Amino acid sequence: MFNTSISGIRGSQKYLDTTSNNIANANSYGFKKSRAEFADIYANSVFTSAKTATGMGVTTTTVAQQFTQGSLSGDTGNNLDMAISGNGFFVLANNENYDTTSEVGDRSYTRNGAFELNKDGFIVTAMGDYLQGYDVDKDGNVTNLDIMSTHAIKIPSDTGAPKQSSKAELIANLPAKAEAHGKYAADFKSTTSAMTSFDPNNSETYTAATSQTIYDSLGGAHTLTYYFQKDHTNPSTTSDPLTGVLDTPDATVWNVVLYVDGSPVDVHGGAEFNITDTSSSIYPKDPTLYGIQLVFASNGSLVTDETTGDITGQIPGSINITNIKSEKYKSGDRATYSLSSAMGSGVDPSQDLNIQLDLSQYGSSKFSVTSVSTDGYATGILENVEVDDNGIILAAYTNGRTQPISKVAMATFSNPQGLIKIGDTQWKQSINSGEATAAQANVGMAGAIKGANLELSNVELASELVDLLIAQRTYQANAQALQTQNTAMDSILSIR
């Protein structure tokens, strides 16, 4: 009979210990409260009457963890802080080089997303365990979704490598009402034209100009400038009709030349323009430039082939600026007007730049640019690191580029309550929990990752204080029952 009360005291102590531990960890990030669960004890045999069995006390069946979602802290100001809104766990290892054949780097799991950088630039917990991530491609897609293939996440400390421009795009509208600089003549049936007194330093010698930034192989920025000169508009009829796209009735012809950092550059295979004003020092070898010739139909679009629908009103069809030292034009070696020469020494001499023009000529007296773009960028210095809802860790550089570094590895379990508690708000898998299943943020039941947030403990202090009182009263009641039994035993022993 004493054992019954003693088991009750032990059960109450377990209840008290569990509640006290919950209260003690009310401020532990990612902590999950536990609940002590009990069952009664009965000893029966074939000769015992179940109707009169009084029981032998209570036993603790389990201390079950309660994996309910904790509240999020809100913006902590630290981009490496992470909170899971869902059922997933962060994956940790105690060695950045995880070896599946040894216990070094054995995986553990946590909901505590208070991470920091160690001296080597790895993302770690306060205890030094390494946050694990998946490899990703340039678009942030996971390349191998496997817990055993994860690795420690290192924030790069070097600069972001530059990318030389290989493509440039310009979308603009040329003013249909602009004044022409040339006149209709028979020699327009060829691709040779005179750009009357063109001088980039004199805005009266061209109709419009616009610029965009391009980059060389070293990340250096250069200014690519387009100079547009409206040459003439073809008459509606002519007594001596000419052949070719340049002689389309009512079509308007524009000449375009390109400069990089103030130096003229040739368009490969472009239309030949004879500059009539050779007094300028910008033409040291030859007053001829190879540029672009545009022919707009009366509807404001480039002239197209009526049979195939192909654009024929752009010469050349593909616009490329390149290093053309070995290319021979009518004027001989054109090395002076190459892209690498304009950019300066030390750059990749084989750099090519393909230009996509999307131009129209509608009824306006003003030149307007809709968009300019390029695929190149300069050297960048790491400026910031952040985590998005998909768990992608992004490095932001001063050149405006963002680079996905890794994707935070997550895991889910069939039975989270079966996980083994190992301290430091961490768990390990067990037979009861089932094996860890690799997961991604915002996919399945794992949940989303909230950067610059932390998950608070799911302990409710008010409920825990009530449980504390219940545990205390239960303990006192069992102690009182033990004392009563002792008094009764004394009374029996004192009988004479």
Side-chain angles (χ1 to χ4, degrees):
M1 56 184 174
F2 287 105
N3 288 336
T4 302
S5 296
I6 291 173
S7 70
I9 290 174
R10 288 174 177 168
S12 298
Q13 185 64 54
K14 183 68 72 172
Y15 190 4
L16 186 62
D17 291 344
T18 302
T19 305
S20 298
N21 186 61
N22 289 341
I23 293 174
N25 285 281
N27 292 320
S28 297
Y29 295 124
F31 177 79
K32 298 303 177 184
K33 66 181 180 180
S34 297
R35 180 180 68 197
E37 298 178 0
F38 306 97
D40 53 5
I41 301 175
Y42 280 87
N44 292 317
S45 69
V46 293
F47 302 109
T48 302
S49 175
K51 294 181 179 180
T52 59
T54 58
M56 300 178 63
V58 65
T59 183
T60 303
T61 57
T62 185
V63 178
Q65 300 167 93
Q66 306 299 301
F67 285 94
T68 55
Q69 177 73 47
S71 300
L72 302 189
S73 64
D75 192 350
T76 63
N78 179 9
N79 285 345
L80 291 181
D81 287 339
M82 306 177 209
I84 298 175
S85 179
N87 299 323
F89 292 81
F90 295 114
V91 182
L92 303 176
N94 59 24
N95 187 341
E96 71 272 22
N97 298 315
Y98 178 68
D99 182 0
T100 57
T101 63
S102 72
E103 294 183 357
V104 177
D106 193 15
R107 294 293 193 269
S108 60
Y109 306 91
T110 187
R111 295 276 299 191
N112 182 358
F115 297 112
E116 58 189 44
L117 293 181
N118 68 5
K119 62 182 180 62
D120 299 316
F122 289 98
I123 301 178
V124 297
T125 67
M127 305 303 295
D129 295 306
Y130 292 83
L131 176 65
Q132 300 294 288
Y134 302 119
D135 287 325
V136 294
D137 60 21
K138 61 185 179 69
D139 297 319
N141 299 312
V142 174
T143 57
N144 188 358
L145 187 64
D146 183 358
I147 290 291
M148 294 307 169
S149 70
T150 60
H151 57 80
I153 302 172
K154 186 174 184 179
I155 302 301
S157 58
D158 55 355
T159 58
K163 178 183 178 182
Q164 67 182 29
S165 299
S166 62
K167 296 179 181 178
E169 183 179 33
L170 170 67
I171 303 175
N173 180 65
L174 300 175
K177 297 181 180 179
E179 181 181 352
H181 286 257
K183 64 180 180 178
Y184 181 76
D187 61 0
F188 277 102
K189 63 184 177 181
S190 70
T191 58
T192 301
S193 174
M195 295 186 68
T196 306
S197 302
F198 171 72
D199 183 351
N201 298 314
N202 183 359
S203 60
E204 294 183 356
T205 64
Y206 55 88
T207 307
T210 189
S211 300
Q212 69 179 116
T213 301
I214 58 175
Y215 301 91
D216 62 34
S217 57
L218 303 177
H222 303 272
T223 302
L224 169 64
T225 304
Y226 305 80
Y227 291 98
F228 298 88
Q229 186 190 77
K230 183 179 180 181
D231 197 292
H232 72 280
T233 299
N234 293 341
S236 301
T237 59
T238 175
S239 58
D240 183 18
L242 300 172
T243 59
V245 65
L246 297 180
D247 305 302
T248 302
D250 296 317
T252 302
V253 178
W254 288 76
N255 301 325
V256 186
V257 291
L258 305 178
Y259 280 65
V260 172
D261 293 343
S263 298
V265 291
D266 283 335
V267 173
H268 182 66
E272 182 180 329
F273 298 135
N274 294 315
I275 309 301
T276 58
D277 182 1
T278 59
S279 62
S280 176
S281 61
I282 62 175
Y283 310 114
K285 288 190 175 182
D286 197 321
T288 301
L289 292 180
Y290 291 89
I292 307 162
Q293 198 153 49
L294 305 172
V295 184
F296 291 94
S298 57
N299 61 1
S301 300
L302 290 172
V303 173
T304 59
D305 188 291
E306 295 182 357
T307 303
T308 64
D310 296 334
I311 294 177
T312 56
Q314 175 181 296
I315 302 172
S318 179
I319 304 170
N320 292 282
I321 308 174
T322 185
N323 177 26
I324 52 175
K325 290 183 179 180
S326 62
E327 297 290 345
K328 299 294 182 178
Y329 289 87
K330 294 179 181 180
S331 56
D333 189 36
R334 302 289 296 178
T336 304
Y337 298 153
S338 68
L339 179 60
S340 59
S341 177
M343 286 183 166
S345 60
V347 302
D348 181 4
S350 64
Q351 180 177 358
D352 294 333
L353 183 68
N354 178 261
I355 300 175
Q356 299 292 327
L357 295 181
D358 186 357
L359 302 174
S360 59
Q361 180 196 250
Y362 296 131
S364 173
S365 59
K366 294 184 178 180
F367 174 68
S368 60
V369 177
T370 302
S371 173
V372 292
S373 62
T374 180
D375 62 345
Y377 44 84
T379 303
I381 300 173
L382 184 65
E383 184 176 38
N384 190 26
V385 175
E386 60 182 23
V387 184
D388 66 13
D389 287 354
N390 294 318
I392 301 294
I393 299 179
L394 298 168
Y397 294 90
T398 52
N399 58 7
R401 304 292 298 177
T402 57
Q403 177 71 34
I405 300 173
S406 183
K407 186 167 189 176
V408 176
M410 298 181 70
T412 57
F413 295 89
S414 300
N415 176 29
Q417 289 189 342
L419 291 169
I420 300 173
K421 296 183 286 287
I422 61 173
D424 299 327
T425 326
Q426 295 181 29
W427 294 267
K428 284 192 174 182
Q429 71 180 35
S430 70
I431 295 176
N432 293 328
S433 68
E435 291 189 1
T437 300
Q440 302 180 64
N442 276 332
V443 178
M445 299 295 291
I449 291 179
K450 302 294 184 182
N453 274 260
L454 289 170
E455 182 186 9
L456 305 179
S457 167
N458 65 354
V459 172
E460 298 177 3
L461 281 177
S463 298
E464 298 301 321
L465 290 174
V466 171
D467 288 342
L468 194 63
L469 292 174
I470 294 173
Q472 179 186 7
R473 292 300 184 186
T474 305
Y475 192 102
Q476 291 173 339
N478 280 284
Q480 184 64 43
L482 183 61
Q483 183 178 5
T484 300
Q485 290 174 3
N486 183 59
T487 301
M489 184 61 70
D490 287 342
S491 298
I492 294 173
L493 294 175
S494 64
I495 296 176
R496 297 290 188 267

